[in-house]
Amino acid sequence: MGKISLPEDFHNYRVHFVGIKGTGMAALVEIFFAAGAAITGSDVAERFYTDEILESLKIKALPFSESNITKDIDLVVYSSAYKLDQNPDLIAAQKLGVPCALYTEALGAYSERAFSAGVCGVHGKTSTTGIAGTILSELDLNAQVLAGSVINSFGKKCVYTSPAATACKAGNCGKTETAAAASQACDRAQKFFVAETCEYQRHFMSFCPRVILLTSVESDHQDYYPTFADIQAAFVDYILKLPQGGTLVYCADDQGAVETVQIALKKRSDIKTVPYGTKAQGPWRLEWREVKEQKNNFCTEALGEAFLRVPGKHEVLDACGAAALCACLLREAGKNPSDYAEEIKRGLEKFSGGKRRSEVTGHAKNSFGDDIVFVDDYGHHPTAVKTTLAGFKDFYSGKKIIVDFMSHTYSRTEALLKEFAQSFDSADTVILNKIYSSARENPADFSITGKTLADEAAKFHKDVHYKEDFDSAASFGAEILSKKAGERYPNGYLFVTMGAGDNWKVAQKIMEKL
């Protein structure tokens, strides 16, 4: 629908969200609600983890219906999963002349109200944003952070808002005599806004970044970006949205990110760059330390020794990038980042992951007394699968790792079949399910199946099993876990459900059996 503008004062501003249970949508609901907007929304009846967020705000998702839309609604925000000419709420809004905006357009309009930082990349967006928000909770900056998942250290929400801003919301920001004046004072107090921004269909182009953090660039979303050059061009265009002298924080360990930055700099030499990682030079050069007592220890010149309580070297890279981003925001606020090293490290220590990001979902023991830990992870790209499983192997040393993986989208599985097949080497046993399709593709258009992936993976891994449905996968998994782990695995089992689908239900079924 194009560019929209949001009011200075959200009080008495009515917004209806179509697809309100989506993670990004629920996060934007949190932000608009905190600003004083009156919120309604609609979605499917199925319960999602975001229902808990909405219920905490006393918002109930309504069934889709034309009756949800009235003339006094000021704006309808809708998920890209729904079409203007097909969804009843959206059809009614257009009939009544109510402005409609995609989630990304509404997020972009909100980003104009602050000094905004966009976190982007094929991998690591959510964790990096969540870590940045957790660090910011330790700093004396007026900041707000929106992540693409529930972040434990945000208090089981997707949004972190700094105490200074919340105090302002409570009416403690000075002698303001009207709601409008109070709202404007609050907006001035919320100077920094950090948000996860998505590359799919160039959605991040609606965002208005003053700083960008780039984690990685490689081929993905093949239904929209058939080649690597296509997706890389989107990231370059996003970087070029930075203002004159804007800052680009990027991972020097990711070759795709490095090449993308080089292309962007040829077009815009004014952009300031802040590299991080083991191949970086400067304050954010990363040195690995040992994994000890389920903590990733590492070191940078800017922080000295630091540690993270979540598994995987990829998470340490994300932490390094998040810390570098927060240092940029401190500098923008006129503060010396080196004075805040201890606060930044405290934030890193406080981060404990998010929903479906290396999330521990349960514990059990079998009849032999073997400890069983259940973990769920959203990894659905070969690189994410490989690095996450490698991280689990280090973090949960001495455990036998069984992974149940459900590939997401036929187009991605077909395009990256060999990469997927070779991504399970850190697991002891691999269980593969049917492919989890997307609404934007027709399975009948593809010859590939989950069995195709299992056959290919068996060429590279000695213990691969195809279990199409969740019941058979759970029965097979429970059978494995009921046996003694053996001398090679003194610490028992780690059962991992992985993917962007709903195969987390496999672990649930196993826990019920155990």
Side-chain angles (χ1 to χ4, degrees):
M1 295 296 289
K3 187 176 176 62
I4 63 164
S5 59
L6 296 173
E8 285 292 325
D9 179 16
F10 271 89
H11 293 84
N12 301 317
Y13 188 67
R14 297 196 59 189
V15 188
H16 181 77
F17 287 80
V18 176
I20 194 170
K21 295 184 183 184
T23 306
M25 293 282 277
L28 198 60
V29 166
E30 288 185 70
I31 286 175
F32 280 20
F33 182 88
I39 307 289
T40 57
S42 54
D43 213 316
V44 296
E46 183 183 352
R47 188 168 179 85
F48 295 91
Y49 62 83
T50 50
D51 276 289
E52 197 173 328
I53 295 171
L54 299 174
E55 287 163 3
S56 72
L57 305 177
K58 296 183 169 49
I59 296 170
K60 181 175 174 58
L62 305 167
F64 296 123
S65 170
E66 289 192 16
S67 63
N68 293 333
I69 308 300
T70 56
K71 287 184 178 179
D72 58 347
I73 290 175
D74 297 293
L75 177 67
V76 172
V77 179
Y78 65 101
S79 160
S80 60
Y82 301 99
K83 306 302 178 189
L84 287 167
D85 60 348
Q86 296 175 12
N87 180 271
D89 299 52
L90 296 174
I91 291 170
Q94 291 176 97
K95 283 180 182 176
L96 293 176
V98 178
C100 298
L102 272 167
Y103 157 76
T104 48
E105 292 167 347
L107 178 64
Y110 190 81
S111 71
E112 289 186 287
R113 303 160 68 98
F115 186 97
S116 293
V119 179
C120 68
V122 172
H123 313 295
K125 293 185 291 290
T126 301
S127 291
T128 304
T129 309
I131 296 169
T134 311
I135 293 170
L136 286 167
S137 72
E138 299 295 321
L139 306 180
D140 56 350
L141 294 179
N142 295 316
Q144 197 167 43
V145 182
L146 181 153
S149 180
V150 170
I151 303 297
N152 297 332
S153 46
F154 289 5
K156 301 289 186 182
K157 293 188 175 186
C158 306
V159 174
Y160 164 74
T161 303
S162 70
T166 52
C168 198
K169 293 293 179 193
N172 299 324
C173 49
K175 295 181 179 179
T176 52
E177 297 179 2
T178 66
S183 177
Q184 289 171 27
C186 288
D187 286 340
R188 285 195 299 272
Q190 290 178 352
K191 185 176 181 182
F192 297 104
F193 180 49
V194 180
E196 176 177 340
T197 57
C198 181
E199 72 278 4
Y200 183 61
Q201 294 183 340
R202 290 178 166 246
H203 283 156
F204 52 20
M205 294 301 289
S206 296
F207 199 76
C208 302
R210 303 285 291 277
V211 178
I212 287 175
L213 192 160
L214 176 63
T215 64
S216 54
V217 181
E218 63 178 294
S219 185
D220 198 13
H221 306 297
Q222 286 76 13
D223 59 319
Y224 189 79
Y225 300 114
T227 68
F228 172 72
D230 294 325
I231 195 169
Q232 185 178 52
F235 279 103
V236 170
D237 288 346
Y238 184 45
I239 293 168
L240 296 181
K241 287 202 73 178
L242 286 169
Q244 188 75 17
T247 301
L248 174 60
V249 182
Y250 72 96
C251 181
D253 288 15
D254 185 88
Q255 188 58 35
V258 171
E259 292 173 2
T260 302
V261 171
Q262 290 170 346
I263 294 170
L265 290 179
K266 285 179 181 177
K267 298 173 182 284
R268 286 273 308 278
S269 60
D270 63 283
I271 294 173
K272 301 170 187 171
T273 57
V274 179
Y276 67 90
T278 61
K279 296 180 180 179
Q281 297 299 318
W284 300 104
R285 182 177 178 276
L286 175 67
E287 292 182 21
W288 304 116
R289 295 289 189 265
E290 60 185 340
V291 177
K292 190 175 181 181
E293 297 176 352
Q294 294 193 353
K295 289 192 292 190
N296 268 310
N297 294 268
F298 63 98
C299 179
T300 70
E301 179 187 318
L303 297 179
E305 295 278 349
F307 69 86
L308 199 65
R309 294 181 184 273
V310 293
K313 288 184 176 180
H314 61 295
E315 292 280 16
V316 176
L317 275 171
D318 293 343
C320 190
L325 173 63
C326 291
C328 290
L329 301 186
L330 283 165
R331 199 171 289 111
E332 174 63 25
K335 301 174 187 290
N336 185 350
S338 62
D339 294 338
Y340 290 83
E342 291 307 312
E343 287 85 351
I344 292 172
K345 289 195 285 186
R346 195 159 60 235
L348 293 171
E349 180 181 351
K350 208 167 116 181
F351 180 72
S352 56
K355 188 75 175 176
R356 303 219 62 206
R357 270 70 179 180
S358 301
E359 180 188 15
V360 176
T361 56
H363 294 268
K365 285 188 183 294
N366 63 17
S367 59
F368 297 97
D370 288 327
D371 182 56
I372 305 168
V373 177
F374 292 89
V375 169
D376 183 47
D377 192 87
Y378 191 68
H380 56 278
H381 185 282
T383 302
V385 174
K386 192 177 187 72
T387 57
T388 302
L389 289 174
F392 289 158
K393 189 170 184 177
D394 287 340
F395 207 73
Y396 296 99
S397 61
K399 285 187 179 294
K400 185 173 185 178
I401 299 176
I402 296 103
V403 60
D404 180 278
F405 178 71
M406 188 179 206
S407 190
H408 179 44
T409 78
Y410 286 82
S411 56
R412 179 186 284 118
T413 311
E414 183 176 73
L416 303 175
L417 179 62
K418 288 195 179 299
E419 290 87 345
F420 271 120
Q422 298 176 64
S423 62
F424 303 106
D425 46 333
S426 292
D428 295 285
T429 300
V430 181
I431 304 169
L432 295 171
N433 310 138
K434 63 184 178 182
I435 294 172
Y436 183 72
S437 186
S438 163
R440 58 184 182 258
E441 62 183 12
N442 181 8
D445 294 337
F446 299 88
S447 60
I448 196 167
T449 67
K451 181 68 164 60
T452 312
L453 175 56
D455 290 342
E456 190 68 23
K459 297 176 183 177
F460 303 96
H461 198 288
K462 63 181 180 182
D463 196 15
V464 177
H465 307 267
Y466 181 63
K467 303 294 177 182
E468 182 165 313
D469 63 272
F470 295 163
D471 284 333
S472 59
S475 295
F476 182 70
E479 182 183 342
I480 295 173
L481 297 175
S482 66
K483 298 174 182 176
K484 187 167 179 59
E487 291 182 5
R488 286 182 59 200
Y489 309 103
N491 296 327
Y493 291 96
L494 177 70
F495 190 92
V496 181
T497 48
M498 184 173 279
D502 57 350
N503 60 319
W504 49 266
K505 294 174 181 175
V506 172
Q508 274 195 343
K509 290 175 180 289
I510 292 175
M511 284 187 267
E512 288 168 8
K513 290 176 184 291
L514 292 176

